[in-house]
PDB file of all heavy atoms in Angstrom:
ATOM      1  N   VAL A1407     -22.304  20.825  19.180  1.00  0.00           N
ATOM      2  CA  VAL A1407     -22.832  21.850  20.087  1.00  0.00           C
ATOM      3  C   VAL A1407     -22.033  21.799  21.383  1.00  0.00           C
ATOM      4  O   VAL A1407     -22.078  20.820  22.117  1.00  0.00           O
ATOM      5  CB  VAL A1407     -24.339  21.617  20.361  1.00  0.00           C
ATOM      6  CG1 VAL A1407     -24.874  22.719  21.275  1.00  0.00           C
ATOM      7  CG2 VAL A1407     -25.127  21.589  19.056  1.00  0.00           C
ATOM      8  N   GLY A1408     -21.314  22.864  21.642  1.00  0.00           N
ATOM      9  CA  GLY A1408     -20.463  22.928  22.837  1.00  0.00           C
ATOM     10  C   GLY A1408     -19.017  23.165  22.446  1.00  0.00           C
ATOM     11  O   GLY A1408     -18.405  22.335  21.768  1.00  0.00           O
ATOM     12  N   GLY A1409     -18.482  24.305  22.880  1.00  0.00           N
ATOM     13  CA  GLY A1409     -17.110  24.638  22.555  1.00  0.00           C
ATOM     14  C   GLY A1409     -16.138  24.437  23.703  1.00  0.00           C
ATOM     15  O   GLY A1409     -15.120  25.110  23.786  1.00  0.00           O
ATOM     16  N   GLY A1410     -16.461  23.475  24.568  1.00  0.00           N
ATOM     17  CA  GLY A1410     -15.513  23.115  25.617  1.00  0.00           C
ATOM     18  C   GLY A1410     -14.466  22.164  25.063  1.00  0.00           C
ATOM     19  O   GLY A1410     -14.353  21.966  23.852  1.00  0.00           O
ATOM     20  N   ALA A1411     -13.700  21.542  25.970  1.00  0.00           N
ATOM     21  CA  ALA A1411     -12.617  20.666  25.531  1.00  0.00           C
ATOM     22  C   ALA A1411     -13.131  19.509  24.674  1.00  0.00           C
ATOM     23  O   ALA A1411     -12.553  19.191  23.639  1.00  0.00           O
ATOM     24  CB  ALA A1411     -11.865  20.129  26.755  1.00  0.00           C
ATOM     25  N   THR A1412     -14.247  18.887  25.072  1.00  0.00           N
ATOM     26  CA  THR A1412     -14.773  17.761  24.310  1.00  0.00           C
ATOM     27  C   THR A1412     -15.156  18.165  22.902  1.00  0.00           C
ATOM     28  O   THR A1412     -14.801  17.502  21.928  1.00  0.00           O
ATOM     29  CB  THR A1412     -15.998  17.157  25.044  1.00  0.00           C
ATOM     30  OG1 THR A1412     -15.593  16.688  26.326  1.00  0.00           O
ATOM     31  CG2 THR A1412     -16.574  15.999  24.245  1.00  0.00           C
ATOM     32  N   GLY A1413     -15.902  19.276  22.767  1.00  0.00           N
ATOM     33  CA  GLY A1413     -16.323  19.717  21.456  1.00  0.00           C
ATOM     34  C   GLY A1413     -15.175  20.109  20.556  1.00  0.00           C
ATOM     35  O   GLY A1413     -15.142  19.753  19.355  1.00  0.00           O
ATOM     36  N   VAL A1414     -14.214  20.837  21.098  1.00  0.00           N
ATOM     37  CA  VAL A1414     -13.064  21.275  20.310  1.00  0.00           C
ATOM     38  C   VAL A1414     -12.220  20.088  19.862  1.00  0.00           C
ATOM     39  O   VAL A1414     -11.805  19.982  18.706  1.00  0.00           O
ATOM     40  CB  VAL A1414     -12.221  22.283  21.108  1.00  0.00           C
ATOM     41  CG1 VAL A1414     -10.882  22.563  20.431  1.00  0.00           C
ATOM     42  CG2 VAL A1414     -12.988  23.580  21.301  1.00  0.00           C
ATOM     43  N   GLU A1415     -11.953  19.158  20.781  1.00  0.00           N
ATOM     44  CA  GLU A1415     -11.149  17.983  20.437  1.00  0.00           C
ATOM     45  C   GLU A1415     -11.847  17.124  19.391  1.00  0.00           C
ATOM     46  O   GLU A1415     -11.216  16.606  18.471  1.00  0.00           O
ATOM     47  CB  GLU A1415     -10.848  17.183  21.695  1.00  0.00           C
ATOM     48  CG  GLU A1415      -9.854  17.880  22.624  1.00  0.00           C
ATOM     49  CD  GLU A1415      -9.549  17.091  23.875  1.00  0.00           C
ATOM     50  OE1 GLU A1415     -10.357  16.213  24.256  1.00  0.00           O
ATOM     51  OE2 GLU A1415      -8.501  17.347  24.483  1.00  0.00           O
ATOM     52  N   LEU A1416     -13.150  16.952  19.531  1.00  0.00           N
ATOM     53  CA  LEU A1416     -13.888  16.151  18.572  1.00  0.00           C
ATOM     54  C   LEU A1416     -13.863  16.805  17.184  1.00  0.00           C
ATOM     55  O   LEU A1416     -13.670  16.116  16.171  1.00  0.00           O
ATOM     56  CB  LEU A1416     -15.322  15.951  19.034  1.00  0.00           C
ATOM     57  CG  LEU A1416     -16.236  15.149  18.096  1.00  0.00           C
ATOM     58  CD1 LEU A1416     -15.688  13.745  17.888  1.00  0.00           C
ATOM     59  CD2 LEU A1416     -17.651  15.092  18.635  1.00  0.00           C
ATOM     60  N   ALA A1417     -14.039  18.108  17.108  1.00  0.00           N
ATOM     61  CA  ALA A1417     -14.008  18.789  15.819  1.00  0.00           C
ATOM     62  C   ALA A1417     -12.669  18.607  15.119  1.00  0.00           C
ATOM     63  O   ALA A1417     -12.606  18.290  13.919  1.00  0.00           O
ATOM     64  CB  ALA A1417     -14.304  20.283  16.016  1.00  0.00           C
ATOM     65  N   ALA A1418     -11.577  18.789  15.864  1.00  0.00           N
ATOM     66  CA  ALA A1418     -10.242  18.630  15.275  1.00  0.00           C
ATOM     67  C   ALA A1418     -10.005  17.207  14.840  1.00  0.00           C
ATOM     68  O   ALA A1418      -9.426  16.954  13.768  1.00  0.00           O
ATOM     69  CB  ALA A1418      -9.182  19.079  16.281  1.00  0.00           C
ATOM     70  N   GLU A1419     -10.460  16.249  15.639  1.00  0.00           N
ATOM     71  CA  GLU A1419     -10.256  14.842  15.302  1.00  0.00           C
ATOM     72  C   GLU A1419     -11.092  14.429  14.100  1.00  0.00           C
ATOM     73  O   GLU A1419     -10.649  13.641  13.252  1.00  0.00           O
ATOM     74  CB  GLU A1419     -10.596  13.965  16.514  1.00  0.00           C
ATOM     75  CG  GLU A1419      -9.996  12.567  16.472  1.00  0.00           C
ATOM     76  CD  GLU A1419      -8.492  12.574  16.551  1.00  0.00           C
ATOM     77  OE1 GLU A1419      -7.923  13.325  17.362  1.00  0.00           O
ATOM     78  OE2 GLU A1419      -7.864  11.793  15.787  1.00  0.00           O
ATOM     79  N   LEU A1420     -12.309  14.955  13.983  1.00  0.00           N
ATOM     80  CA  LEU A1420     -13.137  14.665  12.825  1.00  0.00           C
ATOM     81  C   LEU A1420     -12.504  15.198  11.542  1.00  0.00           C
ATOM     82  O   LEU A1420     -12.529  14.530  10.493  1.00  0.00           O
ATOM     83  CB  LEU A1420     -14.536  15.271  13.001  1.00  0.00           C
ATOM     84  CG  LEU A1420     -15.491  14.544  13.947  1.00  0.00           C
ATOM     85  CD1 LEU A1420     -16.754  15.377  14.166  1.00  0.00           C
ATOM     86  CD2 LEU A1420     -15.842  13.165  13.398  1.00  0.00           C
ATOM     87  N   ASN A1421     -11.936  16.388  11.619  1.00  0.00           N
ATOM     88  CA  ASN A1421     -11.263  16.950  10.461  1.00  0.00           C
ATOM     89  C   ASN A1421     -10.109  16.049  10.028  1.00  0.00           C
ATOM     90  O   ASN A1421      -9.936  15.766   8.827  1.00  0.00           O
ATOM     91  CB  ASN A1421     -10.760  18.354  10.804  1.00  0.00           C
ATOM     92  CG  ASN A1421      -9.931  18.969   9.701  1.00  0.00           C
ATOM     93  OD1 ASN A1421      -8.707  18.879   9.718  1.00  0.00           O
ATOM     94  ND2 ASN A1421     -10.583  19.571   8.738  1.00  0.00           N
ATOM     95  N   HIS A1422      -9.322  15.586  10.994  1.00  0.00           N
ATOM     96  CA  HIS A1422      -8.206  14.692  10.671  1.00  0.00           C
ATOM     97  C   HIS A1422      -8.717  13.386  10.082  1.00  0.00           C
ATOM     98  O   HIS A1422      -8.141  12.847   9.118  1.00  0.00           O
ATOM     99  CB  HIS A1422      -7.394  14.432  11.929  1.00  0.00           C
ATOM    100  CG  HIS A1422      -6.305  13.403  11.743  1.00  0.00           C
ATOM    101  ND1 HIS A1422      -5.187  13.629  10.959  1.00  0.00           N
ATOM    102  CD2 HIS A1422      -6.176  12.135  12.209  1.00  0.00           C
ATOM    103  CE1 HIS A1422      -4.421  12.567  10.978  1.00  0.00           C
ATOM    104  NE2 HIS A1422      -4.997  11.635  11.709  1.00  0.00           N
ATOM    105  N   THR A1423      -9.827  12.861  10.602  1.00  0.00           N
ATOM    106  CA  THR A1423     -10.387  11.616  10.113  1.00  0.00           C
ATOM    107  C   THR A1423     -10.816  11.735   8.657  1.00  0.00           C
ATOM    108  O   THR A1423     -10.590  10.837   7.838  1.00  0.00           O
ATOM    109  CB  THR A1423     -11.581  11.191  10.977  1.00  0.00           C
ATOM    110  OG1 THR A1423     -11.109  10.899  12.300  1.00  0.00           O
ATOM    111  CG2 THR A1423     -12.283   9.965  10.420  1.00  0.00           C
ATOM    112  N   MET A1424     -11.462  12.847   8.312  1.00  0.00           N
ATOM    113  CA  MET A1424     -11.883  13.046   6.927  1.00  0.00           C
ATOM    114  C   MET A1424     -10.700  13.057   5.984  1.00  0.00           C
ATOM    115  O   MET A1424     -10.756  12.537   4.861  1.00  0.00           O
ATOM    116  CB  MET A1424     -12.677  14.354   6.814  1.00  0.00           C
ATOM    117  CG  MET A1424     -14.021  14.335   7.539  1.00  0.00           C
ATOM    118  SD  MET A1424     -15.163  13.068   6.877  1.00  0.00           S
ATOM    119  CE  MET A1424     -15.251  11.960   8.294  1.00  0.00           C
ATOM    120  N   ARG A1425      -9.591  13.656   6.406  1.00  0.00           N
ATOM    121  CA  ARG A1425      -8.389  13.683   5.573  1.00  0.00           C
ATOM    122  C   ARG A1425      -7.805  12.278   5.426  1.00  0.00           C
ATOM    123  O   ARG A1425      -7.358  11.884   4.331  1.00  0.00           O
ATOM    124  CB  ARG A1425      -7.359  14.630   6.181  1.00  0.00           C
ATOM    125  CG  ARG A1425      -7.812  16.087   6.180  1.00  0.00           C
ATOM    126  CD  ARG A1425      -6.784  17.013   6.839  1.00  0.00           C
ATOM    127  NE  ARG A1425      -7.271  18.373   6.907  1.00  0.00           N
ATOM    128  CZ  ARG A1425      -7.202  19.253   5.918  1.00  0.00           C
ATOM    129  NH1 ARG A1425      -6.615  18.913   4.785  1.00  0.00           N
ATOM    130  NH2 ARG A1425      -7.685  20.478   6.062  1.00  0.00           N
ATOM    131  N   GLU A1426      -7.799  11.509   6.506  1.00  0.00           N
ATOM    132  CA  GLU A1426      -7.292  10.144   6.432  1.00  0.00           C
ATOM    133  C   GLU A1426      -8.174   9.278   5.530  1.00  0.00           C
ATOM    134  O   GLU A1426      -7.671   8.478   4.732  1.00  0.00           O
ATOM    135  CB  GLU A1426      -7.243   9.541   7.845  1.00  0.00           C
ATOM    136  CG  GLU A1426      -6.193  10.141   8.765  1.00  0.00           C
ATOM    137  CD  GLU A1426      -4.797   9.614   8.487  1.00  0.00           C
ATOM    138  OE1 GLU A1426      -4.656   8.750   7.598  1.00  0.00           O
ATOM    139  OE2 GLU A1426      -3.853  10.068   9.157  1.00  0.00           O
ATOM    140  N   LEU A1427      -9.481   9.433   5.646  1.00  0.00           N
ATOM    141  CA  LEU A1427     -10.385   8.659   4.797  1.00  0.00           C
ATOM    142  C   LEU A1427     -10.158   8.965   3.318  1.00  0.00           C
ATOM    143  O   LEU A1427     -10.212   8.084   2.455  1.00  0.00           O
ATOM    144  CB  LEU A1427     -11.840   8.959   5.165  1.00  0.00           C
ATOM    145  CG  LEU A1427     -12.363   8.371   6.476  1.00  0.00           C
ATOM    146  CD1 LEU A1427     -13.788   8.846   6.760  1.00  0.00           C
ATOM    147  CD2 LEU A1427     -12.318   6.858   6.456  1.00  0.00           C
ATOM    148  N   HIS A1428      -9.870  10.216   3.006  1.00  0.00           N
ATOM    149  CA  HIS A1428      -9.583  10.596   1.630  1.00  0.00           C
ATOM    150  C   HIS A1428      -8.316   9.900   1.132  1.00  0.00           C
ATOM    151  O   HIS A1428      -8.244   9.424  -0.018  1.00  0.00           O
ATOM    152  CB  HIS A1428      -9.453  12.111   1.536  1.00  0.00           C
ATOM    153  CG  HIS A1428      -9.414  12.620   0.130  1.00  0.00           C
ATOM    154  ND1 HIS A1428     -10.435  12.431  -0.786  1.00  0.00           N
ATOM    155  CD2 HIS A1428      -8.449  13.334  -0.541  1.00  0.00           C
ATOM    156  CE1 HIS A1428     -10.120  12.973  -1.946  1.00  0.00           C
ATOM    157  NE2 HIS A1428      -8.912  13.529  -1.815  1.00  0.00           N
ATOM    158  N   GLN A1429      -7.303   9.813   1.998  1.00  0.00           N
ATOM    159  CA  GLN A1429      -6.070   9.132   1.629  1.00  0.00           C
ATOM    160  C   GLN A1429      -6.281   7.637   1.425  1.00  0.00           C
ATOM    161  O   GLN A1429      -5.622   7.024   0.583  1.00  0.00           O
ATOM    162  CB  GLN A1429      -4.999   9.356   2.690  1.00  0.00           C
ATOM    163  CG  GLN A1429      -4.504  10.792   2.778  1.00  0.00           C
ATOM    164  CD  GLN A1429      -3.440  10.988   3.848  1.00  0.00           C
ATOM    165  OE1 GLN A1429      -3.137  10.067   4.586  1.00  0.00           O
ATOM    166  NE2 GLN A1429      -2.876  12.195   3.905  1.00  0.00           N
ATOM    167  N   TYR A1430      -7.251   7.078   2.172  1.00  0.00           N
ATOM    168  CA  TYR A1430      -7.527   5.642   2.036  1.00  0.00           C
ATOM    169  C   TYR A1430      -8.464   5.317   0.877  1.00  0.00           C
ATOM    170  O   TYR A1430      -8.928   4.195   0.757  1.00  0.00           O
ATOM    171  CB  TYR A1430      -8.119   5.102   3.343  1.00  0.00           C
ATOM    172  CG  TYR A1430      -7.103   4.962   4.462  1.00  0.00           C
ATOM    173  CD1 TYR A1430      -7.395   5.388   5.738  1.00  0.00           C
ATOM    174  CD2 TYR A1430      -5.851   4.415   4.225  1.00  0.00           C
ATOM    175  CE1 TYR A1430      -6.469   5.281   6.774  1.00  0.00           C
ATOM    176  CE2 TYR A1430      -4.921   4.300   5.245  1.00  0.00           C
ATOM    177  CZ  TYR A1430      -5.234   4.729   6.506  1.00  0.00           C
ATOM    178  OH  TYR A1430      -4.325   4.616   7.533  1.00  0.00           O
ATOM    179  N   GLY A1431      -8.772   6.312   0.070  1.00  0.00           N
ATOM    180  CA  GLY A1431      -9.563   6.048  -1.125  1.00  0.00           C
ATOM    181  C   GLY A1431     -10.945   6.641  -1.158  1.00  0.00           C
ATOM    182  O   GLY A1431     -11.654   6.482  -2.159  1.00  0.00           O
ATOM    183  N   SER A1432     -11.363   7.305  -0.118  1.00  0.00           N
ATOM    184  CA  SER A1432     -12.670   7.935  -0.132  1.00  0.00           C
ATOM    185  C   SER A1432     -12.707   9.046  -1.164  1.00  0.00           C
ATOM    186  O   SER A1432     -11.767   9.823  -1.278  1.00  0.00           O
ATOM    187  CB  SER A1432     -13.024   8.518   1.241  1.00  0.00           C
ATOM    188  OG  SER A1432     -14.145   9.347   1.179  1.00  0.00           O
ATOM    189  N   ARG A1433     -13.809   9.140  -1.914  1.00  0.00           N
ATOM    190  CA  ARG A1433     -13.965  10.192  -2.910  1.00  0.00           C
ATOM    191  C   ARG A1433     -14.550  11.468  -2.291  1.00  0.00           C
ATOM    192  O   ARG A1433     -14.851  12.409  -2.997  1.00  0.00           O
ATOM    193  CB  ARG A1433     -14.823   9.708  -4.053  1.00  0.00           C
ATOM    194  CG  ARG A1433     -14.259   8.513  -4.802  1.00  0.00           C
ATOM    195  CD  ARG A1433     -15.115   8.132  -5.993  1.00  0.00           C
ATOM    196  NE  ARG A1433     -14.590   6.948  -6.668  1.00  0.00           N
ATOM    197  CZ  ARG A1433     -14.962   5.703  -6.373  1.00  0.00           C
ATOM    198  NH1 ARG A1433     -15.869   5.511  -5.438  1.00  0.00           N
ATOM    199  NH2 ARG A1433     -14.452   4.679  -7.022  1.00  0.00           N
ATOM    200  N   LEU A1434     -14.709  11.443  -0.973  1.00  0.00           N
ATOM    201  CA  LEU A1434     -15.253  12.601  -0.274  1.00  0.00           C
ATOM    202  C   LEU A1434     -14.095  13.521   0.104  1.00  0.00           C
ATOM    203  O   LEU A1434     -13.410  13.321   1.115  1.00  0.00           O
ATOM    204  CB  LEU A1434     -16.005  12.157   0.996  1.00  0.00           C
ATOM    205  CG  LEU A1434     -16.633  13.252   1.837  1.00  0.00           C
ATOM    206  CD1 LEU A1434     -17.675  14.028   1.037  1.00  0.00           C
ATOM    207  CD2 LEU A1434     -17.270  12.661   3.084  1.00  0.00           C
ATOM    208  N   SER A1435     -13.841  14.509  -0.703  1.00  0.00           N
ATOM    209  CA  SER A1435     -12.727  15.429  -0.440  1.00  0.00           C
ATOM    210  C   SER A1435     -13.080  16.341   0.718  1.00  0.00           C
ATOM    211  O   SER A1435     -14.255  16.582   1.036  1.00  0.00           O
ATOM    212  CB  SER A1435     -12.425  16.266  -1.680  1.00  0.00           C
ATOM    213  OG  SER A1435     -13.578  16.993  -2.086  1.00  0.00           O
TER     214      SER A1435
END
C-alpha cells in the first residue's frame, strides 16, 4: 500500500527475490 519510492522499490525488489529463490531451488515459480 503506497506507490511512493519505498513502495515501488520494495515491489521491484520482491519480484527479483522471487526469481532468485526459484533459481536456488524453490518450487514457487
Side-chain angles (χ1 to χ4, degrees):
V1407 182
T1412 299
V1414 169
E1415 289 180 339
L1416 179 60
E1419 200 65 43
L1420 284 172
N1421 175 265
H1422 174 69
T1423 295
M1424 292 299 112
R1425 295 178 184 276
E1426 291 281 358
L1427 287 176
H1428 190 60
Q1429 292 180 356
Y1430 286 135
S1432 168
R1433 299 184 183 92
L1434 180 61
S1435 58

